[in-house]
Amino acid sequence: MMIFGPTVDVRPLFPRERQAMLDLLRALSPAEWAMPTVCPGWDVHDVVAHVLNDYMRRLSGSRDGYGGATFADDETLPAYLARTNEEFVRASRQLSPRLMIELMDHLGPRLDAVWAARDLQAAADLNVFWAATDIDSPAWLDIGREYTEFWVHQQQVRDAVSAPGADEPDLMAPVLDVFARGLPHALRMHDRPEGRTVHLEVLGPAGGRWGVVRQDARWQMAPPAGEPTAHVSMDQDTFWRLATRGITEEQARQRSTASGDAELTKAVTALLAVIA
């Protein structure tokens, strides 16, 4: 559906992002593997184990059709993800860094092949619930979400060990573009007359401009044009950290400029692209 905006095809970027991650990990000292990250209770080793879990989970589910862990009684999706992620990370603490690197290097191309075989316009294997909860996601958005997951976790490792990188515009811009597709969902509770628009401007080499319009009684992605009802501008580092809760909403607002409808600008700076 066009609510999500134009297709983003990130599939050619997976090998490059993974190579940057592997090069980084191979250079880490034992002390750096134990450095704490922004993820509560997780050090670098734990975040890498979590990425490996993502590889295995998507190969098992999307390639092999294996259902995996089941929900506990009355367990919500966020609670399920938190539990199963923590279970895998705890079990992986017995794995050596070398073995995890070897597994990522081995499994990554197999996951690339799964994405390469997908029809981008078909229904997603897993819906992107931070983009919409009432309609199915297209495959390209699901695959894009996975790319953002890997890229963000790499940045979290880089932050932990003070090793900037993998932020070239062609690697980073699709992350911001996919995260921006959460705007209609972020605005969903705010009814406005048909035709009202909201613009988001992200500044920096990887940034861009995105628009949302009130159409057919819901917010939908649309090319930014004319004078918007609300406008928010922030730099690229602030945007991805806001979307993944690397910073708070209040910190994001302090680093942003906003004009127009205050309720709508506040909703934009509450955008959340869940990385789990």
Side-chain angles (χ1 to χ4, degrees):
M1 287 188 59
M2 287 309 294
I3 177 181
F4 300 115
T7 299
V8 181
D9 185 1
V10 301
R11 294 176 297 179
L13 299 177
F14 282 100
R16 283 187 54 200
E17 184 281 329
R18 183 172 58 254
Q19 190 59 55
M21 178 68 146
L22 292 171
D23 289 345
L24 169 68
L25 298 181
R26 290 183 177 115
L28 296 185
S29 68
E32 287 172 322
W33 278 90
M35 292 291 288
T37 72
V38 71
C39 302
W42 286 4
D43 61 14
V44 167
H45 186 285
D46 293 335
V47 170
V48 175
H50 173 65
V51 173
L52 183 59
N53 180 29
D54 282 338
Y55 281 35
M56 292 181 171
R57 178 175 55 89
R58 291 312 301 256
L59 281 167
S60 296
S62 295
R63 187 191 67 178
D64 304 336
Y66 185 70
T70 57
F71 281 73
D73 291 343
D74 299 324
E75 191 173 39
T76 64
L77 179 58
Y80 167 84
L81 290 172
R83 174 178 62 83
T84 55
N85 287 336
E86 187 65 28
E87 287 172 351
F88 189 94
V89 164
R90 286 180 180 276
S92 297
R93 287 174 181 158
Q94 62 188 311
L95 302 182
S96 69
R98 177 180 175 181
L99 179 58
M100 290 200 296
I101 290 169
E102 289 174 345
L103 287 169
M104 289 179 63
D105 197 18
H106 177 73
L107 296 176
R110 285 155 178 76
L111 190 53
D112 295 345
V114 173
W115 305 142
R118 282 289 180 269
D119 175 357
L120 294 181
Q121 306 308 321
D125 291 339
L126 295 174
N127 283 328
V128 181
F129 62 86
W130 50 256
T133 56
D134 61 334
I135 57 175
D136 288 337
S137 303
W140 65 261
L141 188 57
D142 177 26
I143 297 168
R145 183 256 315 276
E146 291 300 303
Y147 178 75
T148 69
E149 174 103 5
F150 300 153
W151 185 90
V152 166
H153 287 313
Q154 179 174 170
Q155 296 306 313
Q156 292 168 344
V157 172
R158 290 182 178 278
D159 284 350
V161 300
S162 300
D167 55 357
E168 301 93 327
D170 56 337
L171 286 178
M172 185 179 185
V175 175
L176 308 182
D177 197 359
V178 170
F179 283 164
R181 310 313 172 91
L183 285 168
H185 188 67
L187 295 165
R188 68 192 183 283
M189 302 303 293
H190 299 279
D191 191 11
R192 292 293 186 275
E194 293 279 299
R196 294 293 192 267
T197 58
V198 177
H199 292 178
L200 170 65
E201 183 177 18
V202 176
L203 306 173
R209 296 175 68 240
W210 293 270
V212 186
V213 63
R214 187 71 177 180
Q215 184 176 320
D216 299 328
R218 72 182 302 151
W219 294 100
Q220 306 192 40
M221 299 298 298
E227 187 67 23
T229 310
H231 180 275
V232 176
S233 176
M234 67 185 75
D235 66 67
Q236 61 188 35
D237 190 69
T238 298
F239 181 53
W240 81 258
R241 294 180 190 277
L242 165 69
T244 60
R245 288 302 180 266
I247 59 174
T248 66
E249 294 175 29
E250 184 56 38
Q251 287 173 317
R253 291 181 186 123
Q254 291 172 358
R255 301 182 192 181
S256 305
T257 58
S259 60
D261 188 318
E263 285 190 348
L264 297 183
T265 61
K266 185 177 182 180
V268 168
T269 50
L271 177 143
L272 175 62
V274 178
I275 296 294

